[in-house]
Amino acid sequence: MTAALAVVALALLIGWSVGPTLSPTDRILRAVAASTVAALWLAAAIGHVAALRFTSPADIDAAAGGSPDSAQVAMAQAVLRNTLEQVVLAIPAYLALAWVVEGSGAIIPMLAGLFSVGRTLFWAHYARGAEARAFGFALGFYSSVAALVIVLVALVGRLI
């Protein structure tokens, strides 16, 4: 978890130092693109569960939608739940960052990239246990939380 936080902090430092100042419209467009990336991760997780659950007409008709390998379905559903939780944080974080922070032009795509790397690692290592998937989880989570903290600091700064 500490390593993921360090990666997010480093990415923010780099993004802050090289980021161009963009118009509000361009920042919002970047946030919409980043939000689309996050939503596509959710769509992929939903599609994965559906592919596992609905392999035959009997599966489609079944109320539980079970498949021959219910452990695999349970794992896919857990990944889906976690992805939904992560997306619920990421999308408003990207949009708020774009709306409030003028220098967020390079940061938003970097955060979306970290989110995607985190989701990939989480998904790929899920079956190996909590320790194996912790870095992926933390990378996505901390990138979204960092955006929200930056927004909060910027808003408090405007009030003071």
Side-chain angles (χ1 to χ4, degrees), residues 37-97:
V37 169
L40 285 171
W41 275 102
L42 184 57
I46 292 168
H48 184 62
V49 170
L52 292 172
R53 288 181 64 204
F54 306 126
T55 57
S56 72
D59 290 338
I60 294 169
D61 291 337
S67 74
D69 186 356
S70 60
Q72 192 177 17
V73 172
M75 184 178 81
Q77 289 173 329
V79 170
L80 170 58
R81 279 189 301 276
N82 184 267
T83 301
L84 176 60
E85 294 164 358
Q86 294 273 3
V87 168
V88 165
L89 282 177
I91 290 176
Y94 301 149
L95 294 171
L97 190 61

Side-chain angles (χ1 to χ4, degrees), residues 21 25 29 32 35 41-43 50 57 75-77 79 84-85 95 106 108 113 120 122 125-126 133 142 149-150 155:
T21 301
T25 301
L29 287 173
V32 169
S35 297
W41 275 102
L42 184 57
M75 184 178 81
Q77 289 173 329
V79 170
L84 176 60
E85 294 164 358
L95 294 171
I108 295 166
T120 300
F122 181 84
H125 299 292
Y126 189 88
R133 62 183 177 253
Y142 288 147
V149 168
I150 291 168
L155 290 173

Side-chain angles (χ1 to χ4, degrees), residues 140-156:
F141 178 74
Y142 288 147
S143 64
S144 298
V145 170
L148 292 170
V149 168
I150 291 168
V151 169
L152 181 62
V153 169
L155 290 173
V156 168

